[in-house]
Amino acid sequence: MTNTAAPGGKTEPGIKAIRLRHPWRNTFAVVLLLLVALFIADAAMRPAYDWPAVGKYLFDQRISQAAFVTLQLTVYSMVIAIILGVTLAIMRLSPNPVVNSMAWVYLWIFRGTPVYVQLAFWGLIGTIYQSIDIGLPFTEPLVSFPTRVALSAFILAVIGLALNEAAYMAEIVRAGLLSVDSGQEEAAKALGMSWFQTMVRVVVPQSMRVIIPPAGNEVISMLKTTSLVVAIPFTLELYTRSRDIAAITFETVPMLIVASIWYLFFTSILMVGQYFLEKRFARGIGDRRPNKKADDATSSITGVTTGVTHVVGSGQPTVVLPPQLPRETPPTDSPTDSPIDSPKGDR
């Protein structure tokens, strides 16, 4: 508790801040820590997990190669999905009804059907279309080659994942573009900027802070969705490869743990990258960190203050209330005032 000065030289007691106690919150935290410790201790001693087998296959060459293939599927699919998603988002915002309708139909189909079903269709593309023909319609094709030769299982997996993800990226990009106030575009046009310059320099940088968080979630989701490419079938990705090894060694649980560790490793890297991207594009907007320098500066106002009627706060930002100054009496008209200087002289 601090004492503050009052008029007349007397001191008044300040406000004493008392920290609130939360016994139930602390109890709940202790219970959670105990449960986690019990689970870890039980998992360490349970034979079904077979931790030596996990360590044996964690850096196995077959698993590491499958993890690299999974990463390739994620990167290639997301690059194509982002490019196609931006195109679809612009089409959805187009005033042309035909272009807008085509984009809407695309989103309706690929968002309305499961990705596993779509991948199964792409696996049967060689049966549906035996060859890929290039030429003019209703004429002999200039170039023709078998579909199964031209499109490998890896390419079909990338295409299937990218086309499905593009529908979701289109809605994310469209939401980000709509979040920018229309006055920004009007101001850019008033400065003589073209549509491309307005989008690149004004709209897109401001919309990125809205696009990055859900787009980062979609990248992480894509990493896990690669486990469904077995529907094509493509069997060289991480989950299917670990399942094939488990079918030979009969160590299903350890191989699932190995695959989970690799997925968690890649996800952690993506989350760190997402954090720094969000931090970069959110500069100057909604900074939630308290200004410690300002708090220290205001909290350092202590001691006796001359001419202060009251000081509110102790150990926190302090509010100093100055005394009220006496009101000045309005000047009276002197007998020597001339009629010209007097207000009455204006009549």
Side-chain angles (χ1 to χ4, degrees):
M1 180 182 297
T2 60
N3 298 329
T4 58
K10 298 180 180 180
T11 58
E12 295 181 358
I15 298 175
K16 182 179 181 181
I18 301 176
R19 185 185 297 273
L20 293 177
R21 301 183 182 276
H22 303 280
W24 291 109
R25 182 189 301 176
N26 298 333
T27 304
F28 183 68
V30 172
V31 171
L32 286 179
L33 291 176
L34 289 176
L35 291 176
V36 172
L38 289 175
F39 174 78
I40 294 176
D42 178 77
M45 297 182 295
R46 191 164 293 275
Y49 290 112
D50 196 359
W51 295 107
V54 173
K56 175 183 177 181
Y57 290 102
L58 184 60
F59 298 103
D60 187 88
Q61 184 177 4
R62 294 167 293 179
I63 296 296
S64 59
Q65 290 177 352
F68 180 70
V69 172
T70 298
L71 193 60
Q72 284 182 310
L73 287 173
T74 304
V75 173
Y76 297 160
S77 301
M78 284 306 304
V79 169
I80 298 174
I82 291 173
I83 296 174
L84 185 57
V86 172
T87 304
L88 290 170
I90 296 175
M91 293 173 63
R92 287 279 285 126
L93 298 175
S94 174
N96 190 322
V98 177
V99 175
N100 193 322
S101 300
M102 291 181 62
W104 184 87
V105 171
Y106 181 95
L107 301 181
W108 173 60
I109 293 175
F110 283 91
R111 293 176 65 193
T113 54
V115 61
Y116 191 89
V117 176
Q118 296 174 26
L119 292 173
F121 266 106
W122 283 105
L124 297 173
I125 196 70
T127 304
I128 301 173
Y129 302 97
Q130 289 79 15
S131 63
I132 298 177
D133 302 330
I134 300 176
L136 297 176
F138 308 108
T139 60
E140 289 294 329
L142 300 176
V143 180
S144 179
F145 42 84
T147 304
R148 295 183 181 275
V149 176
L151 301 177
S152 62
F154 180 82
I155 296 177
L156 291 175
V158 171
I159 293 174
L161 293 173
L163 293 181
N164 176 264
E165 184 60 34
Y168 297 93
M169 287 300 303
E171 291 298 284
I172 293 173
V173 174
R174 185 173 70 93
L177 296 178
L178 292 176
S179 67
V180 181
D181 189 80
S182 58
Q184 300 289 327
E185 298 184 25
E186 296 175 0
K189 291 179 181 178
L191 294 175
M193 291 187 180
S194 63
W195 178 87
F196 183 78
Q197 291 175 330
T198 302
M199 294 296 294
V200 173
R201 298 184 181 182
V202 179
V203 177
V204 173
Q206 296 185 58
S207 63
M208 288 301 291
R209 65 184 182 89
V210 179
I211 295 175
I212 289 298
N217 294 336
E218 289 299 319
V219 175
I220 295 174
S221 178
M222 174 63 72
L223 176 69
K224 296 177 290 185
T225 307
T226 55
S227 61
L228 300 179
V229 295
V230 67
I232 287 181
F234 182 73
T235 60
L236 298 180
E237 51 84 27
L238 180 58
Y239 169 71
T240 307
R241 195 63 172 161
S242 61
R243 189 189 62 180
D244 294 341
I245 296 175
I248 299 175
T249 61
F250 300 101
E251 295 177 335
T252 305
V253 176
M255 295 311 302
L256 289 176
I257 295 175
V258 168
S260 300
I261 292 174
W262 276 99
Y263 282 123
L264 287 173
F265 173 71
F266 289 140
T267 302
S268 302
I269 296 176
L270 293 175
M271 291 175 66
V272 172
Q274 178 184 350
Y275 168 77
F276 284 105
L277 283 176
E278 291 181 10
K279 185 178 179 180
R280 174 174 178 80
F281 286 102
R283 290 176 298 178
I285 300 175
D287 192 3
R288 299 178 181 177
R289 296 182 179 180
N291 191 348
K292 295 183 178 180
K293 295 183 179 180
D295 292 347
D296 295 339
T298 53
S299 62
S300 62
I301 303 177
T302 57
V304 179
T305 307
T306 306
V308 177
T309 58
H310 190 59
V311 180
V312 180
S314 175
Q316 295 184 6
T318 307
V319 178
V320 180
L321 303 178
Q324 294 183 354
L325 298 176
R327 296 182 179 178
E328 296 181 358
T329 57
T332 58
D333 296 338
S334 61
T336 59
D337 290 341
S338 63
I340 298 177
D341 297 332
S342 175
K344 296 180 180 180
D346 297 338
R347 297 181 181 179

